[in-house]
Amino acid sequence: MEPKSTLERYWQLMQTNDFHKASEMLSEDYVCHWPQSGEVIRGRENFVLINAHYPAQGEWRFTLNHILSEGDQVVTDVSVTDGVITGRALTFSTVRDGLIVKQVEYWPDDFAPHEWRKKWVDIDN
């Protein structure tokens, strides 16, 4: 499986909320870095448990907004919601032998537009 196809399949499986099934797209030595909090998720089982125990209001829905792939590197831009919580994940993935071995995931927070620059920008809602 090509790296881009691996990530497309991964996000399809995440959409099912069956995190055990989604973890099949991860290598045994999988590592995920969350630089904003400094946390590191190591291994499939920890991936499953952190996703299964995340405090959610309902099932997660994932929308793949954009995907870029070059060699074994794939970048995805994904919108995530449980119907109450809404977020966006920018994920940099390394794929080897059809499995994700490493991810670096950024979860940027929305912020209000700055007043000082309003005459030069449009607001995209």
Side-chain angles (χ1 to χ4, degrees), residues 30-111:
Y30 169 80
V31 176
C32 180
H33 297 268
W34 287 346
Q36 291 158 294
S37 65
E39 295 168 285
V40 179
I41 303 165
R42 297 186 193 280
R44 286 179 176 174
E45 190 61 22
N46 285 333
F47 167 88
V48 170
L49 293 171
I50 201 164
N51 280 288
H53 288 91
Y54 196 93
Q57 302 300 311
E59 288 198 345
W60 291 106
R61 294 187 307 272
F62 300 86
T63 302
L64 181 58
N65 302 312
H66 201 78
I67 187 166
L68 293 171
S69 179
E70 184 174 323
D72 64 355
Q73 303 294 309
V74 182
V75 180
T76 57
D77 170 5
V78 175
S79 295
V80 182
T81 186
D82 67 354
V84 175
I85 299 169
T86 300
R88 195 154 189 169
L90 303 173
T91 307
F92 296 78
S93 302
T94 304
V95 178
R96 185 181 322 120
D97 299 324
L99 297 174
I100 302 165
V101 296
K102 178 182 176 185
Q103 291 184 308
V104 179
E105 205 162 60
Y106 296 91
W107 293 85
D109 290 327
D110 291 338
F111 59 91

Side-chain angles (χ1 to χ4, degrees), residues 114-123:
H114 292 272
E115 188 68 25
W116 68 266
R117 57 186 181 225
K118 73 178 185 178
K119 65 182 172 181
W120 301 296
V121 300
D122 293 325
I123 305 301

